Amino acid sequence: MSEPTKPETLDRVLDAALSRAGDEPVQFDVAAGRNALAVALKARAEVAGPIAAGTETRPRRRTRWLAAAAAVAVLTGGGLAASTVDLTGVGSNPVSAAEELTKAADLASRVVERPLAPGQFRYVRTRSEGITVELGSGQASTTDLVQEQWIPADRRDEWLFRNKINSVKWLDGHEGDGRPDAGTSFKDGQEFRAKCGNYSYFAEGQPDRCTAGSLHSPTPEFIASLPKDPKELYARLEAENGTGDSGVLASARAALQSGVYPADVRANIFRAVALVPGLVVTDKKANLDGKEGVALGVKQGDDFSEIIIDPANGDFIGGRSTVAEDLPEDEGGLEKGTVRDSYAVTSAVVNSLGGRP
């Protein structure tokens, strides 16, 4: 998805960024995103200070991706493994895409999961990497981060979220001066704790996460309310995003990225996504954070929006956005096949807050 090429007001840029967040974040909260982004932009303006007379007053524009575990980190995406993908032949295999998802659904539906016992926690680790493009300048950088969240068996107890920035560097061939901006609202090593996961950075008036469920932050009651029939679930996913058939995949990504849906529900989501017109296999050996799977995507704007599944066991590995066509220099100059953003999700049961599998 490319950034608009004409000057825009901040509101329009923010709205465009938030609309993209629907198909990339983990447990993304739109109001929290607005709040976090507004704070970040205000802080940046205060640091920059007044603009000297006679200088350029129009701010530089960047493409941005809003990624989140329980929180909102502001950056844009890139690949966790390879920086480019061979898209030759994409669009010729819609039947294969449906077959891959159906097979994954059948495998996932056979999984018997152990429920959380009192005192245990659902651990969700998301590794994200992304490209931030300075539009019009040719500069671009990559940020690699890990976000972890611990959700207690009793959602009313204390939750924990941690943010770790692994690296920030210039993208080869798009170098700028000095050290690139990480482009994230959170500092390296920052963490938040709160009962019900209602973290302090959330905007005032946010729904209580113990009782108000959504696709990207579901409660057990919300999960139980989802349709079992794939066609009905398809309609639910389509209505959630509001952008037609392609929005079904965006909604599915938001749900799957949360890392908390049981296997049988993930299977139903796969079966619903298999009904998306134009869905194709974009990569048969997509590698995310050391895990290899099949990437299935649909073209949205300038990108392929993709989910990646393990064909051996039906696991959801993660997702990414891959540039579908060469972009002009004023839109970042990224080549076809460049992985603009990606995330890999790992979920497990642990026995302590802050513990790892």
Side-chain angles (χ1 to χ4, degrees):
M1 292 159 281
S2 64
E3 201 74 359
T5 56
K6 297 181 180 180
E8 299 188 52
T9 65
L10 177 59
D11 285 342
R12 289 187 62 195
V13 173
L14 178 58
D15 289 341
L18 289 171
S19 69
R20 286 197 298 274
D23 61 334
E24 277 140 2
V26 179
Q27 296 182 322
F28 183 80
D29 191 297
V30 173
R34 288 183 181 273
N35 187 52
L37 184 56
V39 170
L41 291 175
K42 180 181 179 182
R44 182 169 295 178
E46 291 172 347
V47 171
I51 300 174
T55 60
E56 175 64 57
T57 59
R58 185 165 66 91
R60 292 179 179 179
R61 293 175 293 131
R62 297 183 176 187
T63 60
R64 288 198 175 277
W65 169 56
L66 302 184
V72 180
V74 183
L75 64 150
T76 52
L80 290 176
S83 61
T84 59
V85 175
D86 183 7
L87 292 179
T88 303
V90 164
S92 61
N93 47 11
V95 174
S96 298
E99 289 176 345
E100 291 286 357
L101 278 170
T102 300
K103 181 173 70 174
D106 291 342
L107 290 170
S109 64
R110 299 172 193 163
V111 174
V112 178
E113 293 181 317
R114 179 166 55 96
L116 286 179
Q120 290 187 320
F121 298 81
R122 172 67 61 184
Y123 169 77
V124 181
R125 177 186 182 272
T126 304
R127 183 183 172 199
S128 307
E129 188 173 351
I131 299 172
T132 301
V133 175
E134 188 86 28
L135 298 180
S137 72
Q139 298 178 10
S141 60
T142 64
T143 299
D144 179 348
L145 62 81
V146 171
Q147 294 180 327
E148 299 171 290
Q149 181 166 236
W150 289 261
I151 305 170
D154 185 342
R155 296 173 65 88
R156 296 168 296 182
D157 290 339
E158 185 176 66
W159 299 27
L160 171 62
F161 164 75
R162 286 177 180 164
N163 185 73
K164 171 65 177 175
I165 299 176
N166 294 328
S167 66
V168 182
K169 59 186 179 181
W170 293 111
L171 183 67
D172 289 345
H174 296 264
E175 293 82 359
D177 297 327
R179 179 179 172 81
D181 182 2
T184 170
S185 301
F186 298 128
K187 298 178 182 179
D188 181 30
Q190 192 168 13
E191 71 172 43
F192 296 88
R193 295 170 182 259
K195 291 185 176 181
C196 291
N198 296 322
Y199 302 119
S200 60
Y201 68 83
F202 278 12
E204 186 176 353
Q206 284 297 292
D208 177 45
R209 297 178 78 189
C210 277
T211 57
S214 62
L215 274 175
H216 52 75
S217 182
T219 60
E221 294 78 15
F222 178 88
I223 293 174
S225 74
L226 290 175
K228 303 297 189 294
D229 179 79
K231 291 183 179 179
E232 293 180 6
L233 183 56
Y234 184 100
R236 177 72 175 271
L237 296 173
E238 184 180 30
E240 178 77 14
N241 188 270
T243 58
D245 291 319
S246 62
V248 173
L249 183 62
S251 295
R253 283 181 52 160
L256 294 168
Q257 195 172 346
S258 70
V260 300
Y261 283 85
D264 61 329
V265 180
R266 294 198 305 272
N268 284 339
I269 292 175
F270 290 159
R271 292 189 176 99
V273 173
L275 301 175
V276 173
L279 185 75
V280 296
V281 174
T282 53
D283 190 352
K284 292 186 177 181
K285 293 187 176 182
N287 190 303
L288 291 185
D289 203 21
K291 297 179 181 179
E292 188 174 278
V294 175
L296 307 112
V298 62
K299 193 171 183 295
Q300 293 179 297
D302 295 321
D303 290 352
F304 273 102
S305 176
E306 302 159 294
I307 61 172
I308 298 173
I309 58 175
D310 186 336
N313 56 20
D315 279 354
F316 172 72
I317 296 176
R320 67 186 186 190
S321 294
T322 303
V323 178
E325 302 292 343
D326 292 345
L327 297 179
E329 288 301 319
D330 63 354
E331 294 183 20
L334 300 180
E335 297 179 353
K336 176 181 178 178
T338 299
V339 180
R340 189 194 296 274
D341 63 72
S342 59
Y343 60 86
V345 181
T346 301
S347 178
V349 175
V350 297
N351 295 320
S352 62
L353 187 67
R356 295 185 175 92

